[in-house]
């Protein structure tokens, strides 16, 4: 990534930093105002369950649309065309799984974390420990990806060339994020995500209309211009196979990646936790519907922006620019609106990282404080609820510090690899356990532990010995080759393995808790006994 050091030519780092600083100041004021009502554990973890479905839907879209998806997908479409847009399809379809199978049932049966749902009908301490381990693993890898992405953006948009300079900016991003979480809790974090989502979607909409206007509001004309600009390879932009059709293994790899994306979303802890910030299960369902519309709209924008970047900037200019395909959206912004629009897009990209990292941090800290501290260490006997929130805040600082150090160390690593790992772990360790717990009467503690730990171990082992880590030109470790697993993403193998482990662990155990399942089924479907909103 040394080639990122030059920065985007024509960019104004001072303008970019000024716009970003304005965003930080405004959101910090909002976070401070929101923190006035953060008194109880429900306030800190779930914002008092006081957000409406539409508000939470906007926040979910802010949590989900990371900088990697904004810069990465636009770049992938600009360079690979059809195959790049398949990322958008995978990310969007994933929300149907969350809507139909998870959102409402999870809101009815849980309180703050995934561990609440699993512990409802199983032995509390081992299951909560496993759920917290899985949550921390997914959050850590996702945090690394976002912090490493911050390093890429620093080089790309601010022209900071030295490793020390990148490390300083990553640390600044981390410190601001820790302040959001410490001061505002879930309420402050949610408002940051709402503002960021509005900025990102409105910025993408303005650029989309601008590109459309240049081609007479005709999508076919935009796509044809991209094909013409690409020259001899142009026709490949309209057909599948430009990225994933080179061999049978690459086709399998795409299926594996798609499976991890589609099933991983419904197992991402920071997405699951958002369902607890609304007063009822009906509002949880509404929030997912809002999220689907907003995220779907954004991904339609990426289609126009991707082909528009290919037509206006050109694939060769994009590939040779600092950051390669990641520079497509900033280069298009510069071509359309000069340094001012580029500065706005740069600030939005940074805001995106801040919002996603804050959401991940509060999820990881809540899981440790609520599942490990309150229910495993203290065995559910926490007399002072403020102590649990205090532990969550201390955990947030520790996680933030680890994320800063990890982000500095991972700033030269493959960001896509880290994101894929987070999705694969979520799909393999979390989703099978949640679905079994909600829908299989025979499922028990042993099955949950086998599914979580087995899925987690299988995913990590397969990725360590995959071409993503060694043996390829784009591998994390170049110059060495110890891979024996052929696929870059393990989803195709690890997800079925996790379902199998869950089944095997259940049938080998004599534990039966069908009575508890009946109670959980009634609660999940009707909401009887679900956690209510806090009234201030």
């Amino acid at each position: 990534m040394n080639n990122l050091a030059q920065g985007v030519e024509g960019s104004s780092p001072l303008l970019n930093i000024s716009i970003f600083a304005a965003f930080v100041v405004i959101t910090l004021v909002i976070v401070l105002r929101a923190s006035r009502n953060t008194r109880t554990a429900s306030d800190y973890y779930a914002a008092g369950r006081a957000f409406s479905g539409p508000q939470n839907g906007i926040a979910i879209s802010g949590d989900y649309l990371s900088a990697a998806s904004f810069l990465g997908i636009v770049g992938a479409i600009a360079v690979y065309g059809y195959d790049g847009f398949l990322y958008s399809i995978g990310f969007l379809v994933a929300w149907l799984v969350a809507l139909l199978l998870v959102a409402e049932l999870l809101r009815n049966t849980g309180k703050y974390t995934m561990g609440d749902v699993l512990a409802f009908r199983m032995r509390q301490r081992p299951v909560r420990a496993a759920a917290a381990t899985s949550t921390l693993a997914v959050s850590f890898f996702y945090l690394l990806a976002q912090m490493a992405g911050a390093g890429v953006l620093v080089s790309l948009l601010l022209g900071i060339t030295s490793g020390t300079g990148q490390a300083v900016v990553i640390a600044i991003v981390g410190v601001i994020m820790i302040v959001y979480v410490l001061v505002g809790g879930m309420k402050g974090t949610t408002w940051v995500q709402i503002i960021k989502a509005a900025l990102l979607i409105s910025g993408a909409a303005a650029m989309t209309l601008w590109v459309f206007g240049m081609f007479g509001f005709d999508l076919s004309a935009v796509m044809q211009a991209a094909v013409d600009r690409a020259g001899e390879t142009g026709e490949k932009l309209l057909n599948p196979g430009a990225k994933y059709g080179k061999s049978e293994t690459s086709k399998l790899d795409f299926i594996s990646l798609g499976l991890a994306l589609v099933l991983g979303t419904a197992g991402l802890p920071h997405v699951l936790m958002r369902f607890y910030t609304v007063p009822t299960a009906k509002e949880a369902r509404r929030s997912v519907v809002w999220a689907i519309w907003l995220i779907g709209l954004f991904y339609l924008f990426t289609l126009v922006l991707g082909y528009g970047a290919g037509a206006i900037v050109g694939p060769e200019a994009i590939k040779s620019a600092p950051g390669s395909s990641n520079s497509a959206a900033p280069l298009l912004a510069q071509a359309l609106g000069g340094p001012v629009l580029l500065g706005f897009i740069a600030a939005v990209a940074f805001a995106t990282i801040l919002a996603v990292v804050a959401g991940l941090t509060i999820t990881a800290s809540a899981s440790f404080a609520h599942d490990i501290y309150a229910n495993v260490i203290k065995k559910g006997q926490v007399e002072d609820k403020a102590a649990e929130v205090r532990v969550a805040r201390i955990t947030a600082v520790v996680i933030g510090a680890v994320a800063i150090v990890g982000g500095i160390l991972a700033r030269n690593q493959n960001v896509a690899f880290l994101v894929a790992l987070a999705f694969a772990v979520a799909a393999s360790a979390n989703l099978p356990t949640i679905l079994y717990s909600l829908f299989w009467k025979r499922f028990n503690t042993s099955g949950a532990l086998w599914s979580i730990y087995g899925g987690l171990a299988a995913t990590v082992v397969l990725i360590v010995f995959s071409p993503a880590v060694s043996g390829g030109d784009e591998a994390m470790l170049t110059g060495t080759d110890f891979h024996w697993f052929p696929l870059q993403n393990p989803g195709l193998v690890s997800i079925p393995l996790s379902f199998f482990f869950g089944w095997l662990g259940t049938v080998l155990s004599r534990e039966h808790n069908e009575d508890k399942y009946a109670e959980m089924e009634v609660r999940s479907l009707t909401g009887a006994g679900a956690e209510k909103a806090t009234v201030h």
Side-chain angles (χ1 to χ4, degrees), residues 8-338:
V8 174
E9 194 177 336
S11 167
S12 170
L14 186 62
L15 180 66
N16 296 346
I17 292 170
S18 301
I19 297 173
F20 179 57
F23 169 83
V24 170
V25 170
I26 292 166
T27 49
L28 279 175
V29 170
I30 292 168
V31 165
L32 286 168
R33 289 179 64 85
S35 69
R36 291 174 183 174
N37 291 327
T38 302
R39 299 187 190 95
T40 66
S42 177
D43 293 333
Y44 187 76
Y45 296 147
R49 310 186 201 284
F51 283 97
S52 67
Q55 285 175 325
N56 195 44
I58 298 168
I60 287 174
S61 64
D63 220 351
Y64 192 68
L65 296 171
S66 67
S69 73
F70 174 45
L71 300 176
I73 290 176
V74 171
I77 294 171
V79 176
Y80 300 112
Y82 184 99
D83 279 14
F85 188 56
L86 288 173
Y87 276 91
S88 295
I89 303 294
F91 280 125
L92 181 59
V93 169
W95 280 100
L96 295 178
V97 178
L99 173 64
L100 298 174
L101 296 178
V102 175
E104 188 174 354
L105 305 178
L106 207 73
R107 171 64 186 84
N108 280 337
T109 49
K111 193 173 182 182
Y112 304 130
T113 65
M114 183 179 78
D116 289 332
V117 179
L118 304 182
F120 189 87
R121 50 180 287 221
M122 295 169 200
R123 295 201 309 276
Q124 289 242 354
R125 296 179 73 194
V127 166
R128 283 190 183 277
T133 302
S134 172
T135 297
L136 290 169
V138 178
S139 300
F140 176 70
F141 288 120
Y142 219 115
L143 273 170
L144 276 190
Q146 296 302 319
M147 299 302 260
V152 173
L153 277 169
V154 167
S155 302
L156 185 63
L157 301 168
L158 301 185
I160 293 176
T161 57
S162 68
T164 307
Q166 286 185 39
V168 169
V169 175
I170 289 173
I172 291 170
V173 169
V175 169
I176 296 169
M177 166 269 293
I178 292 169
V179 171
Y180 284 157
V181 175
L182 283 185
V183 176
M186 180 57 92
K187 190 170 288 184
T189 301
T190 301
W191 280 114
V192 171
Q193 287 159 345
I194 289 172
I195 295 165
K196 168 250 157 160
L199 283 173
L200 182 61
I201 293 170
S202 60
M207 285 174 65
T208 300
L209 289 172
W210 201 327
V211 170
F212 253 151
M214 293 175 70
F215 293 92
F217 294 93
D218 184 354
L219 180 60
S220 298
V222 178
M223 297 170 83
Q224 188 58 52
V227 169
D228 295 341
R229 184 73 182 260
E232 294 178 6
T233 60
E235 285 301 320
K236 289 184 178 178
L237 295 177
L238 302 180
N239 300 307
K243 182 173 174 62
Y244 289 105
K246 295 172 184 173
S247 67
E248 293 304 313
T249 304
S250 69
K251 290 175 183 175
L252 272 178
D253 220 342
F254 179 72
I255 294 171
S256 190
L257 175 67
L259 200 61
L261 295 182
V262 168
L263 297 179
T265 297
L268 288 174
H270 64 295
V271 169
L272 297 177
M273 196 167 172
R274 292 235 57 89
F275 300 141
Y276 298 125
T277 63
V278 290
T280 63
K282 181 183 177 183
E283 290 298 305
R285 193 169 64 245
R286 279 184 73 201
S287 65
V288 177
V289 172
W290 268 77
I292 287 173
W293 277 105
L294 291 169
I295 293 166
L297 189 64
F298 178 80
Y299 284 141
L300 286 177
F301 293 159
T302 63
L303 181 65
V304 179
L305 295 176
Y307 279 108
I312 296 167
V313 180
E316 291 306 316
I318 291 168
K319 281 191 253 186
S320 62
S324 189
S325 62
N326 285 329
S327 64
L331 287 173
L332 178 62
Q334 188 185 23
L336 294 174

Side-chain angles (χ1 to χ4, degrees), residues 419-493:
V419 171
L421 179 55
F423 270 86
V425 172
S428 303
N430 292 352
L431 187 66
T433 318
I434 291 169
L435 293 182
Y436 275 148
S437 191
L438 289 171
F439 297 107
W440 188 20
K441 185 185 291 188
R442 175 78 173 80
F443 194 52
N444 56 32
T445 307
S446 176
L449 298 178
W450 279 52
S451 181
I452 291 175
Y453 289 129
L456 189 59
T459 310
V460 173
V461 167
L462 290 178
I463 285 196
V464 166
F465 294 103
S466 77
V469 173
S470 69
D473 295 334
E474 299 177 1
M476 278 185 73
L477 305 175
T478 53
T480 182
D481 184 1
F482 49 83
H483 90 280
W484 48 260
F485 183 67
L487 304 180
Q488 299 233 3
N489 192 290
L492 196 60
V493 176

